[in-house]
C-alpha cells in the first residue's frame, strides 16, 4: 500500500500544499477535491486537535437535487453521507495532531493519476507517536466507485488504539430508509430521488486481517495493542447510485458494484482508474514549455475539467462549482455552454454530447418558462437543476446586508442563445448528424422561435428586445443589449439554416418535427424578418457596439483610480452609482467579440476591445478569461498572458477570492480557451479548423491535442524555431487553415510551417 501513496515524481503533474491555516482550510478542501462527474469528495484537514473525524470532506452526488419546504423554495443539490469518515483515539482520549516544525499537514493532488494524498503525525504527549498517510479517489473508469486507503506506522509507544471508520452526515438532507452493516438507502424529502451506498472495509496489521471489534450500520471499529514499528492499513471501497424514480432500484446497483469491486480488489480498482486517467490525458493534455506557472495552471484546469463531466448520464450537467463545493446550490448556468463545452467538444466529444442532451431533456422546462411569460419557444432557466425549471432565488443579501431582488432569472435571457451556440459548435466540430436530427435541431428551432417571439417591432422599423440583463449584471432592465441581441440574431439565423438543412437532407424527419412543433413556412418567414431588423447597437461610423441603449451617456468612471481595491466595484461605488456608470461587471461586448468575431469587420474588433477593456471591473470570475482570449487573438499576447495568470490565481492563489464554496470551473475552462483559442488562435470553420498562433515571449512552445469530426490531431507550436507542426494521428485527410491559408493534412503528410511573431503591447490596448 505504501507505494500507492507515493505521488507522481514529475513536479509538473502534482499540486502541493504544506500549510495549515485554519482560515483557509475550506479553500484547500476545494482545491484538492477528487471528482468524476458523478461523485465528488472534497479534501479536508486530516486531523483536528479534538477527538473528531480525521477525514471530513463534503460528499456530492451529481443530480441529487431536492427542494426545501420553505416560503420561497429554491431547488438545491443535497449532501451525500460522508463515506470517508475516520477517527483514531486512545483509551484516555484522542491522538492529536502534532503541529511541529516543518509542514504540519501536507496535501498533494496527483493530477496525472487523479487522486489526493495527505500526511500527518498524531501524538499523545511524548509517549505515543504515529505517522499517517492517506489516499482517496473516485474512479474515472467506474464512476460509482470510491476508494480510501490509510497507512499508519507506529513510531513509538505501546498502547491500545481504537480506529473507527463510518459514514457521517446527510441526516438533515436525506431520510434514511434502510441501514445495514455494509449498506444504506436514503431518499430526498420532496423530489422522490433515492441514494444507495454500499461499502467494504478491511483493516490489516502487519499484513494480517483484523476483524472489527464492533459493528453497526455503516460503522466499523477496531481496537488493538499498538507497538513501535507496527504497520496498519485501512482499505475502504464504496459504491454509490442515484435513482430518479420509483421504478429504479439503486440498492441492487451498488450491491453488484461492490461485489465486483471486492472480488477484483482495491489494486485492480486503482489500476483501472489510473488507466482511465492516462487515456483522458492522452486526449486533453496541454504542454507549455518555458513558463512553469502556466504549465501548472493549465494542468490544474484540465484536471478539474476532466473531473467534472460524466458522459454516461445525459440527465445531469456541470454546476458553476462542479462537484467541488456548495456555492450556487449545484445550479447550472451559461458557464457550461460557453466556457466548458469547447474543451469537451474538442477533447471529449462524448462528454460534450451528454451535456447537450441535458439541455434537450430540460427543453420542456424551457418551454414552460417562455409560456409563463407569454412568449413562444424555449427560454432556458438562468439557473437550472434537474427539471429545467427556473431555479434562480428571488432575493439575496447584498454586500451592505440589505435584501436585494435577484432579477437574472427573469431578465438574463441570453442563456437561450448560449445553449444554441454550444449546440451548433458541437455539431460543427463533430459532424454528429444523429444528434443534430434527434435533439440539436429542436433546441435550435425552439430557441430561435423564442427570440422571434421575444423581439418586438417598433415605429423605427426595427425589432427591439427591452428589459433584459446582459452578461454585465451591474445594469438591469436595459434595452437592446448588444450581446443579447446579436446572439439572438445569430440564433435565429442558425435555426433557419438548420431548418433548410433538415428539409433538404432529412425531409421525412423534418416533416415529423414541423408537425410536432407546429412549425410552418409562415413562422420561418417571420423569423427571417426579425433577424434582418433586430437592433444591435452598432454605430457604422465608429464601428462601436453600444453595450445597451443609453450606455454611452452614463458616467465614465476611471477604474485605474481604484486599482488597489480589494472588493468589487459595485461595493466601492455603491449599487445605485454603479448602475448609473459605465463600469462593467464582466465581459459583455468583449464576450460577443470572443464568441462571434465575424460580427466585427476589419479593425472594429480592436476598436471595441480598446473601448470596453478599461471599463471592466472584472466583478465576475468569468471575465478575465474572455478578455485574455480576445487580447490574444488581437495579438496583444502580453496583456493576454497577464489575464491568463489573473484567471489562474482565482483558484490557485490564496488571494482575496474565496474558493471555499467550490472551484470556479468556468475560469478553468477559460484558461483552456485562452490557451487554445487565444494563444494558438484556433477557429472552427465549415471546411476544417484554423490556427493563427501568437505565443507569449516566455512560452518556448505549446502543444495540445484536438478531436475534429472523428479525427485526432496533435498541434505543437515551437516559438524557439518559429515553427508550427500539425500531425493527423487518426482519421481521414482534411484541410487546416494557417493564418488564413489552407493546407492539406493527412496521415502520411504532416504540416510544418512558419509562425508569425506576436506584436508588442501598446498603451492603446489598455
Amino acid at each position: 500500500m505504501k507505494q500507492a501513496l507515493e505521488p507522481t515524481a514529475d513536479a509538473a503533474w502534482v499540486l502541493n500544499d504544506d500549510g495549515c491555516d485554519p482560515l483557509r482550510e475550506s479553500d484547500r478542501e476545494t482545491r484538492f477535491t477528487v471528482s468524476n462527474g458523478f461523485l465528488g469528495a472534497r479534501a479536508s484537514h486530516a486531523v483536528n486537535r479534538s477527538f473528531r473525524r480525521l477525514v471530513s470532506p463534503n460528499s456530492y452526488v451529481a443530480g441529487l437535487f431536492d427542494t426545501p419546504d420553505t416560503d420561497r423554495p429554491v431547488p438545491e443539490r443535497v449532501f451525500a453521507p460522508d463515506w470517508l469518515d475516520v477517527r483514531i483515539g486512545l483509551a484516555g482520549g484522542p491522538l492529536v495532531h502534532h503541529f511541529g516544525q516543518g509542514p504540519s499537514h501536507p496535501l498533494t493532488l496527483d493530477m496525472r493519476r487523479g487522486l489526493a494524498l495527505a500526511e500527518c503525525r498524531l501524538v499523545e504527549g511524548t509517549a505515543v507517536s504515529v505517522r499517517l498517510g492517506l489516499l482517496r479517489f473516485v474512479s474515472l473508469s467506474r464512476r460509482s466507485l470510491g476508494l480510501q486507503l490509510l497507512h499508519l506506522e507506529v513510531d513509538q509507544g505501546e498502547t491500545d488504539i481504537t480506529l473507527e471508520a463510518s459514514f457521517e452526515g446527510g441526516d438533515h438532507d436525506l431520510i434514511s430508509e434502510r441501514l445495514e452493516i455494509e449498506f444504506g438507502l436514503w431518499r430526498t424529502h420532496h423530489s422522490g430521488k433515492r441514494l444507495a451506498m454500499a461499502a467494504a472495509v478491511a483493516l490489516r496489521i502487519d499484513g494480517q486481517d483484523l476483524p472489527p471489534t464492533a459493528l453497526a450500520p455503516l460503522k466499523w471499529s477496531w481496537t488493538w495493542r499498538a507497538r513501535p514499528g507496527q504497520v496498519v492499513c485501512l482499505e475502504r471501497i464504496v459504491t454509490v447510485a442515484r435513482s430518479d424514480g420509483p421504478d429504479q432500484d439503486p440498492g441492487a446497483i451498488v450491491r453488484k458494484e461492490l461485489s465486483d469491486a471486492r472480488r477484483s480488489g482495491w489494486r485492480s480498482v486503482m489500476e483501472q482508474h489510473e488507466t482511465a486517467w492516462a487515456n483522458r490525458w492522452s486526449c486533453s493534455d496541454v504542454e507549455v514549455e518555458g513558463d512553469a506557472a502556466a504549465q501548472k495552471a493549465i494542468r490544474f484546469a484540465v484536471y478539474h475539467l476532466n473531473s467534472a463531466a460524466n458522459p454516461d448520464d445525459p440527465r445531469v450537467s456541470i454546476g458553476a462549482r462542479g462537484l467541488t463545493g456548495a456555492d450556487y446550490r449545484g445550479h447550472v448556468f451559461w458557464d457550461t455552454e460557453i466556457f466548458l463545452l469547447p474543451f469537451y467538444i474538442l477533447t471529449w466529444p462524448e462528454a460534450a454530447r451528454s451535456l447537450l442532451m441535458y439541455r434537450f431533456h430540460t427543453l420542456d422546462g424551457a418551454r414552460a418558462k417562455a409560456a409563463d411569460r407569454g412568449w413562444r419557444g424555449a427560454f432556458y432557466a438562468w439557473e437550472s437543476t434537474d427539471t429545467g425549471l427556473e431555479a434562480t432565488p428571488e432575493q439575496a443579501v447584498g454586500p451592505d446586508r440589505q435584501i436585494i431582488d435577484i432579477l437574472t432569472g427573469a431578465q438574463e435571457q441570453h442563456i437561450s442563445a448560449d445553449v444554441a451556440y454550444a449546440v451548433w459548435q458541437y455539431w460543427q466540430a463533430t459532424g454528429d448528424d444523429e444528434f443534430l436530427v434527434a435533439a440539436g435541431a429542436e433546441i435550435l428551432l425552439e430557441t430561435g422561435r423564442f427570440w422571434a417571439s421575444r423581439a418586438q417591432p417598433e415605429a423605427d422599423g426595427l425589432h427591439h428586445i427591452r428589459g433584459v440583463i446582459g452578461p454585465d449584471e451591474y445594469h438591469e432592465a436595459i434595452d437592446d443589449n448588444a450581446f443579447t441581441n446579436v446572439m439572438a440574431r445569430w440564433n435565429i439565423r442558425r435555426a433557419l439554416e438548420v431548418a433548410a438543412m433538415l428539409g433538404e437532407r432529412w425531409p421525412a424527419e423534418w416533416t415529423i418535427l414541423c408537425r410536432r412543433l407546429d412549425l410552418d413556412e409562415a413562422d420561418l418567414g417571420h423569423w427571417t424578418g426579425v433577424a434582418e431588423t433586430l437592433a444591435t447597437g452598432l454605430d457604422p461610423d465608429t464601428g462601436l457596439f453600444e453595450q445597451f441603449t443609453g450606455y454611452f451617456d452614463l458616467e465614465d468612471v476611471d477604474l485605474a483610480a481604484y486599482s488597489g481595491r480589494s472588493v468589487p466595484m459595485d461595493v466601492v461605488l455603491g449599487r445605485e452609482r454603479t448602475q448609473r456608470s459605465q463600469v462593467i461587471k464582466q465581459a459583455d461586448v468583449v464576450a460577443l467579440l470572443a464568441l462571434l468575431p465575424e460580427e466585427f469587420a476589419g479593425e472594429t474588433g480592436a476598436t471595441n476591445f480598446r473601448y470596453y477593456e478599461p471599463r471592466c471591473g472584472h466583478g465576475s470570475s468569468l471575465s478575465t478569461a474572455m478578455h485574455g482570449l480576445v487580447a490574444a487573438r488581437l495579438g496583444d499576447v502580453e496583456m493576454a498572458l497577464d489575464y491568463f495568470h489573473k484567471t489562474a490565481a482565482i483558484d490557485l492563489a490564496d488571494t482575496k477570492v474565496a474558493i471555499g464554496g467550490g472551484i470556479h470551473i468556468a475560469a478553468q475552462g477559460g484558461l483552456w480557451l485562452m490557451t487554445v483559442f487565444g494563444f494558438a488562435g484556433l477557429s472552427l470553420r465549415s471546411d476544417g479548423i484554423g490556427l493563427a498562433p501568437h505565443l507569449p515571449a516566455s512560452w518556448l512552445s505549446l502543444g495540445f491535442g484536438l478531436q475534429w469530426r472523428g479525427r485526432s490531431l496533435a498541434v505543437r507550436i515551437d516559438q524557439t524555431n518559429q515553427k508550427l507542426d500539425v500531425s493527423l494521428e487518426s482519421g481521414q485527410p482534411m484541410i487546416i487553415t494557417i493564418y488564413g491559408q489552407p493546407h492539406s493534412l493527412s496521415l502520411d503528410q504532416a504540416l510544418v510551417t512558419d509562425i508569425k511573431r506576436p506584436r508588442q503591447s501598446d498603451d492603446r490596448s489598455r
Side-chain angles (χ1 to χ4, degrees):
M1 178 187 290
K2 191 171 184 179
Q3 185 176 359
L5 274 67
E6 293 295 324
T8 297
D10 187 346
W13 285 96
V14 296
L15 183 71
N16 293 305
D17 188 332
D18 292 337
C20 187
D21 182 353
L23 297 178
R24 296 192 181 277
E25 191 61 27
S26 63
D27 289 2
R28 286 180 11 130
E29 291 180 5
T30 291
R31 200 171 288 136
F32 290 80
T33 294
V34 291
S35 172
N36 61 16
F38 174 63
L39 297 176
R42 286 166 57 87
S44 72
H45 197 321
V47 186
N48 194 285
R49 291 179 185 270
S50 62
F51 183 56
R52 53 161 295 185
R53 52 185 147 179
L54 295 174
V55 186
S56 56
N58 293 323
S59 297
Y60 300 102
V61 174
L64 190 65
F65 287 101
D66 200 16
T67 303
D69 186 12
T70 59
D71 291 339
R72 295 182 177 180
V74 177
E76 58 187 32
R77 187 177 58 211
V78 302
F79 296 144
D82 178 10
W83 52 275
L84 291 160
D85 191 67
V86 174
R87 310 180 190 211
I88 299 178
L90 308 177
L95 278 171
V96 298
H97 187 190
H98 174 64
F99 293 87
Q101 296 295 321
S104 59
H105 173 44
L107 282 177
T108 298
L109 183 66
D110 190 327
M111 296 181 284
R112 172 174 273 172
R113 299 161 65 205
L115 50 85
L117 305 166
E119 298 176 24
C120 65
R121 184 164 171 252
L122 304 179
V123 298
E124 164 60 18
T126 59
V128 180
S129 174
V130 301
R131 285 176 290 129
L132 279 180
L134 303 101
L135 174 151
R136 67 170 70 92
F137 69 79
V138 289
S139 174
L140 199 67
S141 61
R142 298 162 65 182
R143 284 181 170 78
S144 65
L145 286 179
L147 177 71
Q148 177 191 40
L149 300 178
L150 184 150
H151 185 270
L152 183 153
E153 294 186 31
V154 180
D155 286 335
Q156 66 182 36
E158 184 169 332
T159 185
D160 290 337
I161 290 182
T162 296
L163 186 150
E164 179 184 281
S166 64
F167 282 48
E168 296 291 335
D171 298 337
H172 301 295
D173 298 314
L174 297 167
I175 299 171
S176 175
E177 289 192 342
R178 187 174 179 182
L179 290 177
E180 300 174 3
I181 296 301
E182 294 187 340
F183 174 77
L185 180 65
W186 299 265
R187 63 176 171 83
T188 56
H189 288 265
H190 305 286
S191 64
K193 295 178 181 289
R194 300 168 82 200
L195 177 71
M197 304 178 78
V201 184
L203 188 78
R204 294 183 177 87
I205 299 179
D206 294 332
Q208 301 298 313
D209 287 336
L210 180 68
T213 51
L215 281 173
L218 295 176
K219 183 177 291 187
W220 301 257
S221 182
W222 299 263
T223 298
W224 72 95
R225 190 71 176 174
R227 297 177 176 85
Q230 197 173 68
V231 175
V232 181
C233 298
L234 174 75
E235 306 158 9
R236 172 156 44 182
I237 298 174
V238 64
T239 58
V240 184
R242 181 200 83 235
S243 70
D244 298 331
D247 56 335
Q248 300 171 312
D249 181 8
I253 295 173
V254 297
R255 290 181 191 276
K256 181 181 185 306
E257 289 283 347
L258 183 63
S259 176
D260 293 344
R262 176 182 262 151
R263 187 163 47 249
S264 59
W266 69 264
R267 289 179 177 81
S268 177
V269 169
M270 175 175 279
E271 183 179 308
Q272 293 170 18
H273 167 74
E274 291 177 340
T275 298
W277 265 106
N279 292 336
R280 284 300 325 129
W281 283 115
S282 70
C283 296
S284 60
D285 189 25
V286 177
E287 295 181 314
V288 176
E289 184 184 4
D291 187 338
Q295 177 66 89
K296 184 66 67 70
I298 193 64
R299 282 255 168 83
F300 181 77
V302 173
Y303 163 78
H304 277 290
L305 291 167
N306 280 325
S307 299
N310 179 9
D312 301 324
D313 190 350
R315 298 283 177 175
V316 302
S317 187
I318 301 172
R321 297 295 183 262
L323 294 174
T324 69
D327 276 6
Y328 295 109
R329 301 176 171 90
H331 293 180
V332 178
F333 292 74
W334 72 312
D335 308 27
T336 305
E337 282 70 35
I338 299 303
F339 293 86
L340 308 185
L341 257 296
F343 168 81
Y344 298 118
I345 288 169
L346 292 166
T347 69
W348 200 0
E350 300 85 358
R353 192 184 207 270
S354 182
L355 291 167
L356 290 171
M357 287 303 296
Y358 162 82
R359 291 298 191 182
F360 179 70
H361 290 308
T362 54
L363 194 52
D364 283 343
R367 289 188 181 106
K369 182 180 177 183
D372 286 345
R373 290 157 176 78
W375 298 315
R376 304 185 68 198
F379 176 14
Y380 275 99
W382 179 244
E383 297 188 31
S384 180
T385 56
D386 51 345
T387 64
L389 298 176
E390 184 58 67
T392 304
E394 295 180 2
Q395 292 183 321
V397 179
D400 57 0
R401 309 308 298 168
Q402 297 297 309
I403 301 296
I404 59 174
D405 293 330
I406 299 177
L407 304 178
T408 51
Q411 294 185 14
E412 197 146 1
Q413 299 170 6
H414 61 82
I415 178 66
S416 285
D418 304 331
V419 173
Y421 181 88
V423 167
W424 188 261
Q425 196 175 47
Y426 170 79
W427 176 74
Q428 188 178 36
T430 64
D432 187 349
D433 291 341
E434 181 183 356
F435 165 80
L436 183 69
V437 174
E442 189 167 344
I443 294 174
L444 287 164
L445 291 166
E446 287 292 80
T447 51
R449 170 180 269 168
F450 165 71
W451 292 117
S453 168
R454 178 67 179 86
Q456 294 298 308
E458 297 187 11
D460 59 0
L462 299 177
H463 280 76
H464 297 268
I465 301 177
R466 300 192 180 277
V468 301
I469 298 173
D472 166 26
E473 293 165 345
Y474 285 163
H475 297 93
E476 300 169 338
I478 58 175
D479 299 331
D480 290 329
N481 171 247
F483 181 90
T484 301
N485 286 26
V486 176
M487 289 290 289
R489 182 176 67 181
W490 178 94
N491 191 167
I492 295 171
R493 287 174 172 170
R494 297 295 80 74
L496 292 167
E497 188 172 342
V498 80
M501 188 191 312
L502 262 63
E504 179 181 343
R505 296 178 57 183
W506 300 283
E509 288 83 353
W510 173 238
T511 299
I512 295 171
L513 187 58
C514 284
R515 187 179 301 118
R516 182 156 56 83
L517 299 183
D518 191 21
L519 189 63
D520 57 29
E521 289 299 324
D523 291 315
L524 300 180
H526 171 64
W527 298 5
T528 301
V530 174
E532 291 176 349
T533 59
L534 190 56
T536 65
L538 175 64
D539 183 340
D541 294 328
T542 64
L544 278 176
F545 281 92
E546 187 172 26
Q547 184 173 296
F548 54 83
T549 301
Y551 175 83
F552 290 150
D553 298 327
L554 300 177
E555 178 189 2
D556 190 1
V557 176
D558 181 10
L559 292 183
Y562 302 90
S563 59
R565 71 185 189 277
S566 60
V567 294
M569 280 303 300
D570 61 328
V571 177
V572 174
L573 298 179
R575 194 160 180 258
E576 292 185 3
R577 185 184 174 195
T578 303
Q579 292 175 336
R580 297 193 303 268
S581 76
Q582 291 188 10
V583 176
I584 302 166
K585 179 179 180 179
Q586 63 173 301
D588 197 306
V589 173
V590 171
L592 182 63
L593 177 55
L595 300 187
L596 298 178
E598 65 273 15
E599 297 286 348
F600 297 78
E603 292 297 313
T604 62
T607 299
N608 279 271
F609 186 70
R610 284 196 297 267
Y611 185 86
Y612 285 105
E613 190 268 345
R615 290 167 169 80
C616 186
H618 303 294
S620 165
S621 62
L622 310 182
S623 188
T624 52
M626 280 292 189
H627 281 77
L629 167 57
V630 173
R633 278 185 178 163
L634 293 175
D636 197 338
V637 293
E638 297 312 313
M639 175 189 277
L641 183 62
D642 183 54
Y643 275 123
F644 180 96
H645 287 297
K646 285 178 178 176
T647 305
I650 291 171
D651 287 320
L652 277 176
D654 288 325
T655 61
K656 61 180 180 292
V657 179
I659 66 167
I663 285 289
H664 297 76
I665 193 68
Q668 303 308 317
L671 286 170
W672 187 88
L673 285 172
M674 276 189 281
T675 303
V676 175
F677 281 78
F679 296 130
L682 178 72
S683 59
L684 306 184
R685 303 162 53 94
S686 60
D687 60 348
I689 63 174
L691 291 167
H694 293 293
L695 298 191
S698 59
W699 290 22
L700 304 181
S701 69
L702 170 64
F704 55 91
L706 294 173
Q707 303 290 310
W708 175 264
R709 297 183 183 176
R711 303 169 177 87
S712 295
L713 294 85
V715 178
R716 179 173 175 77
I717 305 162
D718 182 350
Q719 181 153 248
T720 303
N721 298 303
Q722 292 292 291
K723 294 293 182 183
L724 168 65
D725 188 326
V726 185
S727 59
L728 184 65
E729 298 186 330
S730 66
Q732 297 298 311
M734 63 178 291
I735 298 296
I736 186 166
T737 302
I738 310 297
Y739 297 118
Q741 298 299 313
H743 300 265
S744 297
L745 190 64
S746 62
L747 289 171
D748 57 358
Q749 183 181 355
L751 171 64
V752 180
T753 188
D754 294 335
I755 63 173
K756 297 179 180 179
R757 293 187 181 276
R759 72 173 178 85
Q760 296 297 314
S761 301
D762 58 57
D763 292 338
R764 294 176 305 158
S765 298
R766 305 235 178 225

